[in-house]
Amino acid sequence: MEKKHLLYEGRAKRVYATDDPELLIAAYKDSRGTAAVPGRGAVNNRVSVCLMQMLEREGIPTHLVEQRSDRETVIRRVHIIPLKVIIRNVAAGSLCTRIGLPEGTRLRSAILEYYYRSAALGDPMINRYHAFELQLCTPEELSVIDRYAFRINDILKPFLRGLGVDLIDCKLEFGRLPDGTIVLADEITPDTCRLWDAETGEKLDRDRFRRDPGRAKDVSEAILRRMTRGNFV
Ligand code: TMP
Protein backbone atom coordinates (compact mmCIF):
# COMPACT_ATOMS: atom_id res chain seq x y z
CA MET A 1 0.00 0.00 0.00
CA GLU A 2 1.24 3.41 -0.94
CA LYS A 3 1.27 6.27 1.54
CA LYS A 4 -0.03 9.48 -0.03
CA HIS A 5 -0.62 13.05 1.11
CA LEU A 6 -1.13 14.25 4.68
CA LEU A 7 -4.86 14.58 5.39
CA TYR A 8 -4.85 15.75 8.98
CA GLU A 9 -2.40 16.55 11.74
CA GLY A 10 -3.47 16.37 15.36
CA ARG A 11 -1.48 16.77 18.56
CA ALA A 12 -0.53 13.10 18.73
CA LYS A 13 -0.85 11.75 15.20
CA ARG A 14 -0.64 12.54 11.51
CA VAL A 15 -3.14 10.84 9.21
CA TYR A 16 -2.26 10.13 5.58
CA ALA A 17 -4.31 9.10 2.56
CA THR A 18 -3.33 5.88 0.76
CA ASP A 19 -3.89 4.53 -2.74
CA ASP A 20 -6.95 2.72 -1.31
CA PRO A 21 -9.77 5.22 -0.71
CA GLU A 22 -11.10 3.15 2.20
CA LEU A 23 -7.82 3.02 4.11
CA LEU A 24 -5.67 5.61 5.87
CA ILE A 25 -2.35 5.52 7.69
CA ALA A 26 -2.09 6.92 11.22
CA ALA A 27 1.47 7.91 12.21
CA TYR A 28 2.10 8.50 15.92
CA LYS A 29 4.29 11.45 16.89
CA ASP A 30 6.72 11.54 19.78
CA SER A 31 5.16 14.77 21.05
CA ARG A 32 1.60 15.55 22.13
CA GLY A 33 1.75 19.29 22.03
CA THR A 34 4.49 18.94 24.66
CA ALA A 35 8.19 18.20 24.52
CA ALA A 36 8.94 15.21 22.31
CA VAL A 37 9.96 12.01 24.09
CA PRO A 38 11.96 9.89 21.64
CA GLY A 39 10.19 6.57 21.04
CA ARG A 40 6.89 7.55 22.63
CA GLY A 41 4.98 7.43 19.31
CA ALA A 42 6.19 3.92 18.57
CA VAL A 43 5.28 2.67 22.04
CA ASN A 44 1.81 4.23 21.93
CA ASN A 45 1.25 2.80 18.46
CA ARG A 46 2.07 -0.68 19.73
CA VAL A 47 -0.05 -0.32 22.88
CA SER A 48 -3.07 0.87 20.91
CA VAL A 49 -2.71 -1.89 18.31
CA CYS A 50 -2.44 -4.57 21.04
CA LEU A 51 -5.48 -3.28 22.93
CA MET A 52 -7.60 -2.90 19.78
CA GLN A 53 -6.67 -6.41 18.61
CA MET A 54 -7.79 -7.73 21.97
CA LEU A 55 -11.06 -5.77 21.78
CA GLU A 56 -11.67 -7.09 18.24
CA ARG A 57 -11.22 -10.63 19.54
CA GLU A 58 -13.84 -9.83 22.16
CA GLY A 59 -16.30 -8.68 19.48
CA ILE A 60 -15.82 -4.89 19.49
CA PRO A 61 -15.41 -3.61 15.91
CA THR A 62 -12.54 -1.15 15.55
CA HIS A 63 -10.95 0.91 12.77
CA LEU A 64 -7.75 -1.15 13.03
CA VAL A 65 -6.46 -2.94 9.93
CA GLU A 66 -2.81 -3.71 10.74
CA GLN A 67 0.36 -2.24 12.16
CA ARG A 68 2.51 -1.06 9.24
CA SER A 69 5.74 -0.02 10.95
CA ASP A 70 6.92 0.93 14.42
CA ARG A 71 4.92 4.14 14.49
CA GLU A 72 2.40 3.62 11.68
CA THR A 73 -0.87 1.73 11.58
CA VAL A 74 -3.27 1.15 8.70
CA ILE A 75 -6.82 2.10 9.70
CA ARG A 76 -10.18 2.14 7.96
CA ARG A 77 -11.44 5.52 6.85
CA VAL A 78 -14.38 6.46 9.08
CA HIS A 79 -16.47 9.52 9.68
CA ILE A 80 -15.45 10.46 13.22
CA ILE A 81 -18.41 11.14 15.50
CA PRO A 82 -17.34 14.36 17.27
CA LEU A 83 -17.83 13.03 20.78
CA LYS A 84 -15.26 12.21 23.40
CA VAL A 85 -16.81 9.33 25.30
CA ILE A 86 -15.35 9.04 28.79
CA ILE A 87 -15.86 6.04 31.00
CA ARG A 88 -14.88 6.23 34.66
CA ASN A 89 -14.38 3.66 37.41
CA VAL A 90 -12.67 5.83 40.05
CA ALA A 91 -13.09 9.57 40.67
CA ALA A 92 -10.24 11.67 39.27
CA GLY A 93 -9.66 14.78 37.20
CA SER A 94 -12.67 16.78 36.06
CA LEU A 95 -15.16 14.49 37.84
CA CYS A 96 -13.71 15.56 41.19
CA THR A 97 -13.87 19.24 40.37
CA ARG A 98 -17.35 18.98 38.84
CA ILE A 99 -19.21 17.02 41.52
CA GLY A 100 -16.87 17.20 44.50
CA LEU A 101 -15.93 13.55 44.97
CA PRO A 102 -12.51 13.05 46.57
CA GLU A 103 -9.90 11.75 44.14
CA GLY A 104 -9.66 7.99 44.36
CA THR A 105 -13.31 7.36 45.29
CA ARG A 106 -14.30 4.04 43.74
CA LEU A 107 -17.55 4.66 41.84
CA ARG A 108 -20.61 2.54 42.66
CA SER A 109 -20.93 1.78 38.97
CA ALA A 110 -19.07 3.04 35.92
CA ILE A 111 -19.95 6.60 34.84
CA LEU A 112 -20.23 7.48 31.16
CA GLU A 113 -19.85 11.08 29.96
CA TYR A 114 -19.93 12.75 26.57
CA TYR A 115 -17.95 15.80 25.52
CA TYR A 116 -18.67 17.61 22.26
CA ARG A 117 -15.46 17.83 20.24
CA SER A 118 -15.38 21.52 19.36
CA ALA A 119 -12.16 23.47 19.75
CA ALA A 120 -14.11 26.74 19.41
CA LEU A 121 -16.30 25.79 22.41
CA GLY A 122 -13.54 24.12 24.44
CA ASP A 123 -15.01 20.60 24.18
CA PRO A 124 -17.99 21.11 26.52
CA MET A 125 -19.60 18.24 28.41
CA ILE A 126 -22.99 17.48 26.88
CA ASN A 127 -25.78 14.94 27.32
CA ARG A 128 -27.55 12.77 24.76
CA TYR A 129 -30.21 15.36 24.00
CA HIS A 130 -27.57 17.91 23.06
CA ALA A 131 -25.92 15.29 20.83
CA PHE A 132 -29.21 14.67 19.01
CA GLU A 133 -29.95 18.39 18.68
CA LEU A 134 -26.51 18.85 17.08
CA GLN A 135 -27.14 15.75 14.92
CA LEU A 136 -23.81 14.28 15.98
CA CYS A 137 -25.32 10.80 15.84
CA THR A 138 -28.69 9.08 15.95
CA PRO A 139 -30.24 7.64 19.14
CA GLU A 140 -29.61 4.16 17.74
CA GLU A 141 -25.94 4.96 17.13
CA LEU A 142 -25.57 6.40 20.62
CA SER A 143 -27.01 3.29 22.21
CA VAL A 144 -24.45 1.21 20.28
CA ILE A 145 -21.69 3.58 21.46
CA ASP A 146 -22.89 3.30 25.09
CA ARG A 147 -22.99 -0.47 24.89
CA TYR A 148 -19.49 -0.65 23.37
CA ALA A 149 -18.07 1.82 25.90
CA PHE A 150 -19.29 -0.21 28.91
CA ARG A 151 -18.19 -3.45 27.26
CA ILE A 152 -14.72 -2.03 26.45
CA ASN A 153 -14.42 -0.97 30.08
CA ASP A 154 -15.48 -4.47 31.20
CA ILE A 155 -12.79 -5.99 28.96
CA LEU A 156 -9.96 -3.56 29.71
CA LYS A 157 -10.44 -3.39 33.50
CA PRO A 158 -9.70 -7.06 34.32
CA PHE A 159 -7.06 -7.24 31.61
CA LEU A 160 -5.13 -4.30 33.04
CA ARG A 161 -5.78 -5.51 36.58
CA GLY A 162 -3.99 -8.71 35.57
CA LEU A 163 -0.99 -6.52 34.72
CA GLY A 164 -1.15 -4.86 38.13
CA VAL A 165 -2.74 -1.69 36.76
CA ASP A 166 -6.07 -0.07 37.77
CA LEU A 167 -8.08 1.52 34.96
CA ILE A 168 -9.34 4.73 36.55
CA ASP A 169 -10.93 6.23 33.45
CA CYS A 170 -10.56 6.21 29.72
CA LYS A 171 -11.45 8.37 26.71
CA LEU A 172 -12.91 6.64 23.66
CA GLU A 173 -13.84 7.90 20.22
CA PHE A 174 -16.05 6.23 17.67
CA GLY A 175 -16.50 6.50 13.92
CA ARG A 176 -19.00 5.48 11.27
CA LEU A 177 -17.96 3.30 8.32
CA PRO A 178 -19.48 4.09 4.90
CA ASP A 179 -22.08 1.33 5.50
CA GLY A 180 -23.08 2.95 8.80
CA THR A 181 -21.34 0.48 11.13
CA ILE A 182 -20.10 2.10 14.34
CA VAL A 183 -16.48 1.23 15.17
CA LEU A 184 -14.02 2.19 17.89
CA ALA A 185 -11.56 4.73 16.42
CA ASP A 186 -8.65 6.95 17.49
CA GLU A 187 -6.37 5.29 20.09
CA ILE A 188 -6.29 3.68 23.51
CA THR A 189 -2.98 4.47 25.17
CA PRO A 190 -1.66 5.69 28.52
CA ASP A 191 -2.19 9.14 27.02
CA THR A 192 -5.95 8.66 26.78
CA CYS A 193 -6.51 6.72 30.03
CA ARG A 194 -5.73 7.15 33.70
CA LEU A 195 -3.80 4.12 34.91
CA TRP A 196 -2.72 3.73 38.52
CA ASP A 197 -0.53 0.97 39.93
CA ALA A 198 -2.98 -1.44 41.60
CA GLU A 199 -0.71 -1.98 44.62
CA THR A 200 0.81 1.41 45.30
CA GLY A 201 -1.65 3.77 43.56
CA GLU A 202 1.27 5.31 41.67
CA LYS A 203 0.03 7.23 38.62
CA LEU A 204 1.34 5.56 35.48
CA ASP A 205 -0.41 7.61 32.86
CA ARG A 206 -0.88 11.00 31.26
CA ASP A 207 -1.09 12.80 34.62
CA ARG A 208 2.39 11.52 35.22
CA PHE A 209 3.38 12.48 31.69
CA ARG A 210 2.33 16.06 32.27
CA ARG A 211 4.49 16.41 35.35
CA ASP A 212 7.36 14.29 34.14
CA PRO A 213 7.36 13.87 30.34
CA GLY A 214 10.74 12.15 30.40
CA ARG A 215 9.12 9.22 32.24
CA ALA A 216 6.29 8.91 29.74
CA LYS A 217 7.90 6.45 27.40
CA ASP A 218 9.33 4.37 30.25
CA VAL A 219 5.88 3.89 31.72
CA SER A 220 4.25 3.00 28.41
CA GLU A 221 7.09 0.61 27.74
CA ALA A 222 6.61 -1.01 31.13
CA ILE A 223 2.93 -1.52 30.37
CA LEU A 224 3.79 -2.85 26.94
CA ARG A 225 6.31 -5.24 28.45
CA ARG A 226 3.71 -6.43 30.91
CA MET A 227 1.19 -6.77 28.06
CA THR A 228 3.47 -8.74 25.79
CA ARG A 229 4.92 -10.99 28.47
CA GLY A 230 1.69 -12.98 28.81
CA ASN A 231 0.11 -14.98 26.02
CA PHE A 232 -1.37 -11.77 24.80
CA VAL A 233 0.43 -11.00 21.55
P1 TMP B 1 -10.87 14.35 32.70
O1 TMP B 1 -10.89 13.87 34.11
O2 TMP B 1 -9.86 15.44 32.45
O3 TMP B 1 -12.25 14.73 32.21
O4 TMP B 1 -10.38 13.13 31.80
C1 TMP B 1 -11.00 11.86 31.85
C2 TMP B 1 -10.20 10.84 31.05
O5 TMP B 1 -10.26 11.10 29.65
C3 TMP B 1 -8.72 10.82 31.37
O6 TMP B 1 -8.26 9.49 31.29
C4 TMP B 1 -8.09 11.62 30.30
C5 TMP B 1 -8.96 11.34 29.12
N1 TMP B 1 -9.07 12.47 28.19
C6 TMP B 1 -8.39 12.46 26.98
O7 TMP B 1 -7.70 11.49 26.66
N2 TMP B 1 -8.51 13.52 26.15
C7 TMP B 1 -9.25 14.62 26.47
O8 TMP B 1 -9.32 15.57 25.67
C8 TMP B 1 -9.95 14.62 27.73
C9 TMP B 1 -10.78 15.80 28.14
C10 TMP B 1 -9.83 13.53 28.54
Side-chain angles (χ1 to χ4, degrees):
M1 171 182 319
E2 202 186 323
K3 183 163 140 188
K4 299 238 170 167
H5 55 280
L6 178 69
L7 282 178
Y8 164 82
E9 177 155 5
R11 279 186 336 131
K13 293 186 285 297
R14 295 187 182 92
V15 176
Y16 296 90
T18 71
D19 50 359
D20 182 334
E22 293 187 358
L23 301 180
L24 304 175
I25 292 173
Y28 284 72
K29 303 197 276 191
D30 283 343
S31 60
R32 295 186 84 92
T34 54
V37 178
R40 178 181 190 168
V43 171
N44 275 348
N45 186 33
R46 187 83 193 112
V47 169
S48 197
V49 166
C50 285
L51 292 177
M52 288 213 187
Q53 283 171 340
M54 180 180 69
L55 292 171
E56 286 270 358
R57 285 198 294 272
E58 297 285 340
I60 305 288
T62 78
H63 69 166
L64 177 69
V65 178
E66 61 183 4
Q67 190 171 345
R68 172 179 148 102
S69 66
D70 63 343
R71 67 180 58 242
E72 289 182 337
T73 290
V74 181
I75 56 176
R76 301 170 81 179
R77 184 192 283 264
V78 297
H79 168 83
I80 289 282
I81 293 168
L83 282 178
K84 291 183 191 169
V85 178
I86 296 199
I87 184 111
R88 302 177 182 274
N89 300 303
V90 175
S94 70
L95 183 66
C96 299
T97 45
R98 181 172 298 106
I99 67 170
L101 289 178
E103 185 183 69
T105 308
R106 203 154 281 279
L107 303 173
R108 293 165 203 278
S109 56
I111 292 180
L112 188 70
E113 297 172 348
Y114 311 113
Y115 294 80
Y116 173 33
R117 252 189 170 289
S118 161
L121 298 173
D123 295 354
M125 184 177 179
I126 61 170
N127 67 30
R128 53 201 305 113
Y129 303 101
H130 301 118
F132 303 149
E133 173 58 32
L134 292 167
Q135 296 185 291
L136 306 183
C137 57
T138 65
E140 292 72 26
E141 286 175 330
L142 200 59
S143 43
V144 172
I145 288 172
D146 289 358
R147 189 156 48 79
Y148 285 167
F150 283 113
R151 178 84 186 112
I152 290 166
N153 188 46
D154 285 344
I155 297 166
L156 291 183
K157 240 183 353 177
F159 171 73
L160 290 165
R161 189 69 202 211
L163 305 177
V165 175
D166 243 352
L167 178 64
I168 305 305
D169 53 35
C170 187
K171 190 253 321 174
L172 305 170
E173 294 193 32
F174 294 88
R176 191 187 292 123
L177 291 175
D179 70 359
T181 309
I182 297 292
V183 299
L184 178 66
D186 197 51
E187 66 179 72
I188 305 183
T189 66
D191 281 316
T192 59
C193 298
R194 282 196 178 88
L195 303 171
W196 295 355
D197 187 288
E199 293 302 315
T200 65
E202 186 196 7
K203 294 176 178 162
L204 305 174
D205 52 39
R206 61 190 250 134
D207 284 343
R208 171 60 153 280
F209 297 173
R210 283 202 198 99
R211 292 193 313 272
D212 187 2
R215 280 273 288 144
K217 189 172 71 88
D218 301 350
V219 171
S220 294
E221 269 173 352
I223 290 172
L224 192 57
R225 260 199 310 279
R226 294 194 209 181
M227 276 167 54
T228 50
R229 203 187 298 135
N231 53 4
F232 174 60
V233 176

